[in-house]
Amino acid sequence: MLSRKKLYFYGRDNRRVHKPGPPQFKTQVYQCSEETRGKAQGSFAHGETLPSAPNPGLVVHGLGSIALPLFEREARRLKQACHRAPFGRGSETLVDTKVRDTWELNADQFVLRSHAWQATLDNTLRRVAQALGVAGGSTAIRAELYKLLLYDKGAFFDSHTDTEKVPSMIGTLVIALPSKHTGGDVETSFKGKTLTCNWETYEDDADSSAEGDGGSGYGSKIHKYHELAEVYDNSLRLRTFCRANGQLLARDIDIEGENIIQDDAFDRAPDKEDYEGYTGNAGASATHIYRNSCIVMIPRSNIVSFLLEHASIGFVSLDGWLGPMTDEVKDDPTDERPKKELTRICHLFLTAYTNGTDERPGISRYDRSLNSFSDIALGVVARAALHLKDRTLFDKASSASKEYLPIEIYSAFGGTLDIAELTQWSSSLLLALGRVLKLHLRWEAGKKTLEARNASQQDSLQLISDALGNLLQESIEDILSLEVTTCKLDAQAIIDIIQACGLGFLFKHILPFVKKQVTNATFTITFLVLLFEAEMLGTFIGGLSKNVYRDVLADLVPLFKVESDLHSQKRPKYVHHYVGARTSEQKDIDFIEPIELAGLLDHCKTLSLAEEREGLMDQLVVASKLADPSAFAKLFIPLLKRMVVLSRSANLPITDTVPRHFTKSIIDQFVLR
């Protein structure tokens, strides 16, 4: 929980506003919480020496091993690799040596290579967990490497509170590696109590000291905050809202002070102050920031209103809310209470979400803001619908998606079907698959459905697999009949589809689709190359690729033309367009790999398709005369090099694989550029 208070300083009169006492329910909850106060085992912080800790084997990328104990010469060398340590102020990340004068390395800039170090860290975690009173001991926590800090002479970090770096973070573990120094005490405070760690003592055989707490800094300065006179702005916010297991529920949720049980939640020194001094006629002002951990209680009956209200003003994880409820239904399908509650929440959410996608006058901006949930949230609802056996809810979630449900939802679909339900749900599966308008993704979705079904069902497996296979094939036939944009991933998917559906499916559905796509050279070339390679591996019968090559190249060669990409520095290769296919404003832009193009020419030679091979090379020669100079480095020269490599690997004369006239024409144009 975060509280910000903006105030002016007018004098020493610090006025306190009296708040009315809490209602009866709040009083009862407060009394219960007071009964537990003081019963918690453990301290808020812990510090100790690790006299037998091994050398951790510190290695910095670009520097090599760093000798420990750290002496001045080695410290100067380490400092060269470091950067100034920043700090957070509100939503900003700043570097200001008046607040934090420290050097640091990020976790990806160094490693600890000692095999014995992990055992030392495990033992340290056990002692820290015991000292802090962590429920479950060291098995409930883990330490993640975050930074390496280097404090030189005069270095410090102002008093501060560490913020959560990752979900479910409970504290900071600081390990001081051995170095000869003075000063550098760390003071950790909580509710008037202070723990001081002094790491000044150094002996040749001493290794490390460690401290675990809820937030501390090495070499901290104790900061005195300004006295406050008058509050003119006050806000409360739940910065990170998680379940007890660390699962994220929401972020940045504004709340009202009346929802807080205690009257004195912020009657203490602030965790941070942003101060602005006197400027001309304006008085001095400051923002005091308090960070508290708290327990949030929401009645089940209020969950829907909470979700719908705060989706528009903060981040809400729908999976964090509905996931555990869905698991509860899955674990005990006979319990009607969670089923009714989950159904109610899902339908209310979908109603609000559907209104949010409506741009008609009269639909509130509040409702439209629910679009922030995205299709991922609809996948959460769809998964809940599967376990609720609610086809209407599933179809509504599928239809409401802007594009398509997350592909992972199809595994859940396949895992929930039995023979009796398969017929009833077939239309829902086809509806959901029909929303996926990318060929490789629709194939992936169908495969996940079938694989999950096979993994979860032992009885009548063949019957279910055949029925699902027929549905999948029907959906693939549907997308092959549409005008869709293709990519290289679709080419690999088509090879898998042919293997699954057979050669009859290839000639009836795949080949007509590929011939329609010859205006996308990248897709077409990739498909032909992969088909030939699959035949060489024995996946398909011999002679198949020659017939397909001849048929497809007859359409591809007359239209094929390449040019360098003159429009975008972010596209380092070259692009293709097709004569007569479309206007320049409408042309497709895609990448063709020189390796694949060389492979296609090599396959044509192997398959004795001399006419098609010669036609492709003629088109490349024509293109080289018109191409931008950069195209030679990106396409033509790498293509020639790859053709030479293929010739040598086959122990053939280079002139047999790379015709002299083709090479000479390309090189001549390269020299002219």
Side-chain angles (χ1 to χ4, degrees):
M1 181 183 297
L2 172 69
S3 173
R4 293 177 179 267
K5 298 184 179 181
K6 190 78 171 180
L7 307 115
Y8 279 108
F9 299 109
Y10 294 106
R12 294 185 175 275
D13 180 19
N14 187 9
R15 290 181 289 171
R16 178 187 177 101
V17 179
H18 175 70
K19 295 198 306 183
Q24 182 180 8
F25 172 74
K26 292 173 62 177
T27 301
Q28 293 172 349
V29 174
Y30 180 75
Q31 289 172 350
C32 290
S33 66
E34 285 297 297
E35 291 177 1
T36 64
R37 187 186 296 271
K39 294 183 179 180
Q41 301 296 318
S43 173
F44 67 91
H46 176 68
E48 65 178 62
T49 301
L50 308 178
S52 59
N55 189 316
L58 175 61
V59 177
V60 177
H61 302 318
L63 288 184
S65 298
I66 301 298
L68 295 175
L70 188 68
F71 289 98
E72 185 173 353
R73 179 179 178 182
E74 197 76 336
R76 286 198 300 267
R77 191 167 75 96
L78 178 59
K79 184 176 178 179
Q80 294 175 355
C82 295
H83 55 268
R84 284 286 183 186
F87 64 94
R89 176 177 292 167
S91 60
E92 298 180 293
T93 300
L94 307 173
V95 174
D96 185 350
T97 56
K98 295 180 180 178
V99 176
R100 186 180 191 186
D101 187 2
T102 317
W103 299 89
E104 72 175 21
L105 291 175
N106 297 327
D108 60 358
Q109 295 180 273
F110 68 96
V111 293
L112 304 176
R113 290 189 172 171
S114 171
H115 296 296
W117 181 252
Q118 186 60 48
T120 299
L121 183 59
D122 292 341
N123 290 331
T124 301
L125 279 178
R126 278 192 288 271
R127 291 195 295 274
V128 168
Q130 182 179 6
L132 299 183
V134 176
S138 60
T139 59
I141 58 174
R142 67 180 186 277
E144 295 182 0
L145 190 62
Y146 181 61
K147 300 278 189 182
L148 186 145
L149 301 179
L150 178 66
Y151 286 78
D152 53 9
K153 185 177 180 179
F156 68 93
F157 192 178
D158 265 347
S159 180
H160 64 283
T161 300
D162 277 4
T163 54
E164 189 180 47
K165 305 300 188 300
V166 295
S168 73
M169 174 180 165
I170 66 167
T172 303
L173 177 67
V174 181
I175 297 182
L177 300 178
S179 62
K180 191 171 185 178
H181 65 275
T182 58
D185 290 1
V186 172
E187 289 194 2
T188 308
S189 300
F190 180 72
K191 289 193 173 182
K193 299 179 180 179
T194 299
L195 174 70
T196 301
C197 275
N198 183 303
W199 290 329
E200 182 176 328
T201 302
Y202 167 79
E203 299 175 3
D204 289 342
D205 59 348
D207 290 285
S208 306
S209 296
E211 178 183 359
D213 59 61
S216 66
Y218 180 64
S220 298
K221 282 185 176 180
I222 299 302
H223 187 74
K224 301 300 182 183
Y225 296 99
H226 295 85
E227 185 180 355
L228 306 180
E230 184 176 351
V231 177
Y232 74 84
D233 187 24
N234 189 335
S235 64
L236 295 167
R237 175 172 296 178
L238 292 173
R239 293 297 302 272
T240 305
F241 185 12
C242 300
R243 290 187 183 276
N245 63 2
Q247 184 179 27
L248 182 64
L249 293 175
R251 288 198 198 100
D252 296 329
I253 301 297
D254 290 326
I255 61 173
E256 300 295 332
E258 63 185 17
N259 293 322
I260 299 177
I261 298 295
Q262 302 96 321
D263 280 336
D264 58 350
F266 304 106
D267 286 354
R268 59 178 176 81
D271 298 302
K272 188 176 180 181
E273 178 185 72
D274 292 339
Y275 174 71
E276 298 176 10
Y278 291 90
T279 55
N281 294 327
S285 64
T287 299
H288 278 193
I289 301 172
Y290 300 80
R291 294 188 178 98
N292 288 359
S293 297
C294 62
I295 297 175
V296 180
M297 294 181 291
I298 302 177
R300 279 181 174 267
S301 58
N302 290 1
I303 289 178
V304 174
S305 60
F306 179 88
L307 289 174
L308 300 186
E309 177 183 355
H310 294 292
S312 61
I313 57 178
F315 169 85
V316 175
S317 170
L318 195 65
D319 186 38
W321 292 94
L322 299 190
M325 299 177 68
T326 302
D327 292 338
E328 189 176 355
V329 171
K330 178 183 176 182
D331 294 339
D332 186 4
T334 62
D335 190 346
E336 292 298 323
R337 182 192 57 78
K339 292 172 67 174
K340 289 180 180 180
E341 183 65 16
L342 181 59
T343 301
R344 185 178 73 90
I345 292 177
C346 288
H347 278 287
L348 286 173
F349 169 77
L350 277 180
T351 299
Y353 184 93
T354 303
N355 289 341
T357 61
D358 197 330
E359 297 297 329
R360 294 174 299 171
I363 300 300
S364 70
R365 198 177 110 196
Y366 158 75
D367 284 335
R368 289 196 188 107
S369 65
L370 288 171
N371 284 294
S372 63
F373 273 117
S374 80
D375 289 349
I376 296 176
L378 291 172
V380 176
V381 175
R383 177 176 175 267
L386 287 170
H387 292 289
L388 290 167
K389 308 297 183 182
D390 189 334
R391 280 203 312 114
T392 301
L393 180 61
F394 182 90
D395 291 347
K396 286 177 65 176
S398 180
S399 300
S401 59
K402 300 182 185 68
E403 292 185 348
Y404 50 84
L405 296 175
I407 298 301
E408 293 74 17
I409 197 64
Y410 296 91
S411 293
F413 196 109
T416 61
L417 294 175
D418 57 34
I419 297 176
E421 295 166 335
L422 180 60
T423 302
Q424 300 173 2
W425 283 80
S426 59
S427 61
S428 297
L429 176 59
L430 289 175
L431 173 65
L433 289 171
R435 302 281 294 176
V436 185
L437 296 180
K438 295 183 183 297
L439 177 59
H440 67 280
L441 290 178
R442 186 176 294 195
W443 171 245
E444 183 66 21
K447 281 200 307 179
K448 284 185 176 294
T449 306
L450 190 58
E451 290 168 356
R453 178 68 270 162
N454 291 346
S456 63
Q457 185 71 32
Q458 298 300 323
D459 297 332
S460 305
L461 177 60
Q462 189 60 46
L463 175 61
I464 295 177
S465 297
D466 288 345
L468 278 178
N470 291 335
L471 284 175
L472 174 57
Q473 184 168 317
E474 180 182 345
S475 182
I476 296 299
E477 291 175 8
D478 170 68
I479 196 171
L480 291 175
S481 67
L482 303 176
E483 295 292 334
V484 295
T485 302
T486 51
C487 65
K488 295 174 70 171
L489 294 175
D490 296 323
Q492 180 60 64
I494 283 181
I495 300 301
D496 296 339
I497 292 169
I498 297 171
Q499 188 175 358
C501 300
L503 297 182
F505 194 84
L506 163 65
F507 290 107
K508 185 176 180 180
H509 300 286
I510 297 293
L511 194 54
F513 175 79
V514 172
K515 288 169 67 66
K516 287 191 302 182
Q517 294 290 327
V518 292
T519 51
N520 184 341
T522 301
F523 163 78
T524 308
I525 291 172
T526 302
F527 163 72
L528 292 174
V529 170
L530 291 175
L531 181 69
F532 179 87
E533 292 175 351
E535 182 179 308
M536 293 298 101
L537 293 173
T539 304
F540 304 124
I541 60 174
L544 173 66
S545 59
K546 182 173 183 177
N547 294 328
V548 175
Y549 263 57
R550 184 185 289 116
D551 197 2
V552 174
L553 289 176
D555 294 337
L556 174 66
V557 171
L559 300 178
F560 184 78
K561 185 178 181 181
V562 299
E563 67 178 7
S564 61
D565 183 359
L566 305 177
H567 307 291
S568 173
Q569 297 298 323
K570 294 182 179 180
R571 298 177 184 270
K573 297 185 182 292
Y574 56 91
V575 299
H576 68 269
H577 75 243
Y578 302 88
V579 178
R582 61 197 74 192
T583 65
S584 60
E585 292 79 15
Q586 296 172 317
K587 68 181 181 181
D588 288 333
I589 295 179
D590 212 339
F591 300 157
I592 302 175
E593 295 290 345
I595 291 178
E596 291 185 345
L597 188 55
L600 181 67
L601 294 171
D602 185 62
H603 298 165
C604 287
K605 180 176 179 59
T606 303
L607 297 171
S608 300
L609 298 175
E611 183 179 347
E612 289 80 359
R613 185 170 185 267
E614 192 68 26
L616 276 173
M617 288 191 290
D618 288 343
Q619 291 283 37
L620 288 167
V621 170
V622 172
S624 70
K625 297 177 181 179
L626 305 174
D628 183 89
S630 62
F632 287 87
K634 301 168 185 175
L635 170 62
F636 297 107
I637 301 304
L639 173 62
L640 291 176
K641 289 181 177 179
R642 181 61 182 171
M643 293 174 72
V644 170
V645 170
L646 292 174
S647 176
R648 289 174 175 171
S649 64
N651 294 319
L652 295 174
I654 293 178
T655 53
D656 286 358
T657 304
V658 192
R660 188 181 300 275
H661 72 278
F662 176 67
T663 305
K664 183 177 184 302
S665 298
I666 298 296
I667 296 300
D668 286 347
Q669 294 302 320
F670 175 63
V671 173
L672 289 175
R673 297 300 191 278

